[in-house]
Structure formats: structure tokens, C-alpha cells
């Protein structure tokens, strides 16, 4: 909490804001994550229900779709071996932040 991250405001302008919250959710046995690989080299691993900036859940994305300006080269499910998953809530009005260069929407309540 308090670390500065990049976010977007309601007009789409990129700005810095402090983290308001860092949350974790216990990962049950058998929990899977989605591993995304984009044509421009960006990659991300996150829970299937986590949403990207436009509201689509990672688990609903398909090969060949466009995400954050790049084509999805692979969308795979893998068993998650961690004890919990994590999310952040940046300050500002949108709850948007970049995770490994991909614009995501926070799952944490304001």
C-alpha cells in the first residue's frame, strides 16, 4: 500500500497513483490460472475470472482475439500451485492498472 503505479483516469489519460489496497484470495486445490501470450511478447498469468480493462474475463478470451492492442498467440490453463492469488487497487477513478504491460481491472472493491 502506498507504492506508486500507473493507472488511467476516466478520460483515458495515463497517470500515477498510490496503491490503496493489496488483496489476496486463498487458492483452492486444483485452482487454475490462464497464461496469455501476446504477439508483441507480453505475457500474463492470472485467474480465469480476473478481467482486463474492457471487462472481458481472462477465462473467456480466445486465441486470435485482440487484447490491449495485440493478438493473442496462446491462451492456456495451467494448474496453480500457489497458496493464494493477489490483486491491487490503485488510487483514481477507474481501478485500472498494468500487469506485465497488460491493462487490467482490479477485482478489489472501492
Amino acid at each position: 500500500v502506498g507504492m506508486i503505479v500507473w493507472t488511467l483516469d476516466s478520460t483515458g489519460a495515463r497517470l500515477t497513483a498510490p496503491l490503496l489496497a493489496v488483496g489476496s484470495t486463498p487458492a483452492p486445490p486444483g485452482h487454475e490460472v490462464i497464461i496469455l501470450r501476446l504477439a508483441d511478447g507480453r505475457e500474463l498469468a492470472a485467474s480465469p475470472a480476473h478481467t482486463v480493462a474492457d471487462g472481458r474475463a481472462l477465462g473467456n478470451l480466445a486465441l486470435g482475439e485482440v487484447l490491449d492492442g495485440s493478438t493473442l498467440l496462446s491462451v492456456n490453463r495451467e494448474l496453480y500451485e500457489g497458496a493464494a492469488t493477489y490483486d491491487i487497487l490503485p488510487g483514481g477513478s477507474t481501478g485500472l492498472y498494468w500487469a506485465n504491460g497488460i491493462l487490467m481491472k482490479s477485482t478489489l472493491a472501492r
Side-chain angles (χ1 to χ4, degrees):
V1 173
M3 183 176 136
I4 303 298
V5 298
W6 287 103
T7 185
L8 290 180
D9 70 13
S10 59
T11 69
R14 186 175 171 154
L15 63 127
T16 60
L19 287 182
L20 301 178
V22 177
S24 65
T25 302
H31 184 68
E32 293 180 325
V33 292
I34 302 296
I35 310 295
L36 301 177
R37 289 183 180 82
L38 299 176
D40 63 11
R42 291 178 288 166
E43 296 182 6
L44 180 68
S47 295
H50 201 118
T51 57
V52 295
D54 65 12
R56 293 178 292 168
L58 294 183
N60 293 335
L61 296 175
L63 186 67
E65 288 184 349
V66 174
L67 173 62
D68 203 24
S70 188
T71 302
L72 283 163
L73 291 182
S74 66
V75 180
N76 297 305
R77 288 181 179 260
E78 292 184 10
L79 191 61
Y80 181 67
E81 297 188 15
T85 60
Y86 300 89
D87 198 7
I88 60 174
L89 177 62
S93 60
T94 64
L96 299 175
Y97 64 91
W98 279 268
N100 204 24
I102 297 172
L103 193 58
M104 303 291 291
K105 185 166 182 69
S106 178
T107 62
L108 303 177
R110 290 206 162 291

